[in-house]
Amino acid sequence: MVQTDRSSGGTLVVPPEKKYIAFLILMIAAQVAVLIYFGARKAGFHEDVFYSYFSSNRSAGLYTPDGEWVDTETILNEFRVLPGERFHFGTVKLVQSWDVHPPLWYYLLHFACSLSAGVFSKWQGLAVNIVGFVIAQLLLAKLSRLVMRTADRGGMYCGDEVQEKGLFGLSRDQLGALAVVAAWGFSPAAVSAVMFIRMYVWLTVFVLAMLILHVRFLQMLRESSVNSLRREYLRLFISMTVVSFLGFMTQYYYLIALFFAGIYTAIVLLRYLVTAVKESDRKMFLRLAGFYVCSQAAAGIIGVLYYPAALSHIFRGYRGKEAQAEFLNIGNTFGRVRAFFSLVSRYAFGGWMLVFLIAALAAAVAAAVVKKVRIRQEVRLLIVVCAGYFLAVAKTGLILGETSIRYEIPICPVFILLILCGLSAFQVRIAKYLPVAAAVLLLVLDLAGLAGGRVLFLYPENEARITFAREHCEEPAILLFNPQSPDHVWWIPDVLLQYPKVYFLSEGSAVHNVEQLREAVRDAGRGAVIYAADAENRDLLIGDLAEAIREEQGSMPEIRSVDRHAMWTTYYLKVK
């Protein structure tokens, strides 16, 4: 409610909470505008994204015929929802059970595509991720305020009281939350996560929601008795079950974050149990521990009953086995940790993560030594989850160059929160401005990264490939696929879809297939575009084709390499 300050001649005074909400909405709106800008620039897809659309909207199923012309309309139908196949969530669940991921994110993508049936567009997936981004930012703001707010007169981290006002009349926890939301939302890591049309934005949503519930649980344990907040505890445990089920059904990496949160929470409960003086308090904490364990166990049981394939994905699927092998390989630990630390530093901290960590640690140590300040349980929880998740994922995640940053996305905003909390610990003289300086520096580094082309998954080079295909769409395309890896065909469907039809031919036997290839070129007329997969006999097959045309026409055709991308080489053939 807007108030009037009578002492200032009737000046309108906006309550701090309303100011905070207004600033938060404006900031997230600006971040969404940035996402739309980069979304408009997105010109291609990662191969996993094509799989996302296919497994969410599959119709008859993709296949690679040999020696056949294929109408590309049939290919397009596998990436879009047909009018009579909207909201077929059962099919989505079945298709996902054949792979290695849980189905919830694919439900969201199928839902978005069902609302726009007959269309295959990047904006369907981007819309799903943008909605998830907005929810994640609101949750991040909530988590930041919970951690920074005074619950035991400990201040932001362990400093001044929340009632002390700062810039724009906002409290320290409000300013801190805005700083964290700004530093994360404008970072190249956050924008890249949205541009990658996969489940990692929504994994972040449920990891943040899980952390909020655990932080609130720790605060309730410290502040009140179970009898005074019985309904609140009940709602909390039910919320934990729901969030853990949804996180489990989004990405199995959620279980890693939950594991470390559960370990720390169990230690806290055990400490309360051991140090309790009264028998009634001991029984209370024992009861709470039981309810907590049951809430998480219920989520797992419900998840397995709903989606039995989860167990085989984790323990017997190829990704599960790869992760287990990497985790047990001690020799690669240092190299993997260094690689993932470098990625997080580059995309979330502008390459300065080590500097920020050292500064935050120094401020926290100074506060502990000079002011005898202790680290609160909420902060310890976040430290344990961040460190545990980061190390576990660094050990088990796929090493795929810079795109591997996606695996660490869920804890990147929590790292930022922890660093600002650490810098806030030493509230003495000029040191009290460290968090502000760090937030401003992070924002500058973020904007420099966005302007410097550090956003991933845009594939601007793909625009030239699409343009080339459109310019030659009247000349049929010939696709020579490697029989050892036929699935690589579906790494370039956006290019193939520019043609009315495509001739599929295996590179399996150059001697046998050259005649079929020659027939395809003859049908094409005076020219054709050839997309040839990397294979040992690729060059031999192209050479034999040129020789066959020379023998028939009396002159050597023009065959030039136009482009090479994702294990595919594009040739343009012109018969003289």
Side-chain angles (χ1 to χ4, degrees), residues 209-257:
M210 180 270 292
L211 291 175
I212 289 172
L213 294 174
H214 279 73
V215 165
R216 185 63 191 129
F217 184 38
L218 295 179
Q219 291 177 341
M220 290 169 67
L221 286 173
R222 182 176 60 237
E223 297 167 12
S224 59
S225 68
V226 68
N227 292 324
S228 63
L229 291 175
R230 184 168 297 175
R231 289 185 179 180
E232 285 77 3
Y233 275 114
L234 180 60
R235 285 198 294 266
L236 181 73
F237 289 134
I238 292 174
S239 299
M240 283 184 171
T241 300
V242 172
V243 167
S244 288
F245 169 73
L246 295 175
F248 180 24
M249 292 294 99
T250 299
Q251 230 283 358
Y252 298 130
Y253 278 170
Y254 173 85
L255 299 177
I256 297 176

Side-chain angles (χ1 to χ4, degrees), residues 458-487:
L458 297 181
Y459 307 104
E461 68 280 1
N462 202 58
E463 188 172 355
R465 299 185 184 102
I466 298 294
T467 300
F468 175 83
R470 286 174 178 167
E471 290 174 350
H472 296 273
C473 64
E474 299 300 323
E475 300 169 291
I478 299 171
L479 186 76
L480 303 177
F481 65 89
N482 188 336
Q484 301 300 318
S485 52
D487 55 303

Side-chain angles (χ1 to χ4, degrees), residues 172-192:
R172 290 188 179 277
D173 68 302
Q174 292 170 334
L175 287 171
L178 291 174
V180 174
V181 168
W184 169 243
F186 287 111
S187 70
V191 177
S192 297

Side-chain angles (χ1 to χ4, degrees), residues 512-529:
H512 172 72
N513 287 340
V514 69
E515 275 305 312
Q516 288 181 284
L517 182 57
R518 177 68 191 98
E519 287 298 320
V521 172
R522 184 181 291 114
D523 293 342
R526 305 299 298 179
V529 180

Side-chain angles (χ1 to χ4, degrees), residues 38 83 133 144 158 162 164 177 206 218 245 270-271 305 329 358 370 380 436 489 497 542 552-553 559:
F38 281 101
F133 172 85
S144 301
C158 23
V162 126
E164 181 181 337
F206 295 116
L218 295 179
F245 169 73
L270 182 61
R271 194 197 70 177
L305 290 177
N329 183 359
I358 293 173
V370 177
R380 292 176 187 171
V436 176
V489 168
L497 289 174
I542 296 296
E552 182 176 299
Q553 300 287 338
I559 302 180

Side-chain angles (χ1 to χ4, degrees), residues 372-435:
K372 307 301 181 184
V373 173
R374 60 185 178 83
I375 301 176
R376 289 169 52 196
Q377 289 178 350
E378 298 92 318
V379 178
R380 292 176 187 171
L381 168 71
L382 299 187
I383 292 172
V384 169
V385 172
C386 273
Y389 182 95
F390 173 80
L391 293 173
V393 171
K395 278 290 292 175
T396 58
L398 293 173
I399 300 292
L400 302 169
E402 293 184 326
T403 63
S404 290
I405 181 63
R406 62 186 186 259
Y407 301 122
E408 300 285 6
I409 287 295
I411 47 93
C412 285
V414 189
F415 269 130
I416 294 174
L417 170 58
L418 284 173
I419 286 173
L420 293 185
C421 280
L423 292 171
S424 303
F426 198 48
Q427 294 289 317
V428 177
R429 295 181 183 178
I430 195 171
K432 68 173 64 176
Y433 299 107
L434 277 175

Side-chain angles (χ1 to χ4, degrees), residues 42-54 79 101 105 120 122 192-193 195-198 200 398-407 456-462 465 487-488 490-494 565-566:
K42 182 176 174 65
F45 296 101
H46 188 278
E47 56 266 21
D48 287 352
V49 174
F50 287 120
Y51 175 78
S52 294
Y53 279 91
F54 163 67
F79 295 97
H101 292 295
W105 184 83
F120 168 47
K122 63 183 177 182
S192 297
M195 296 301 106
F196 187 46
I197 305 176
R198 295 285 281 170
Y200 297 98
L398 293 173
I399 300 292
L400 302 169
E402 293 184 326
T403 63
S404 290
I405 181 63
R406 62 186 186 259
Y407 301 122
L456 300 172
F457 307 110
L458 297 181
Y459 307 104
E461 68 280 1
N462 202 58
R465 299 185 184 102
D487 55 303
H488 289 179
W490 312 119
W491 290 15
I492 56 170
D494 54 339
H565 167 67

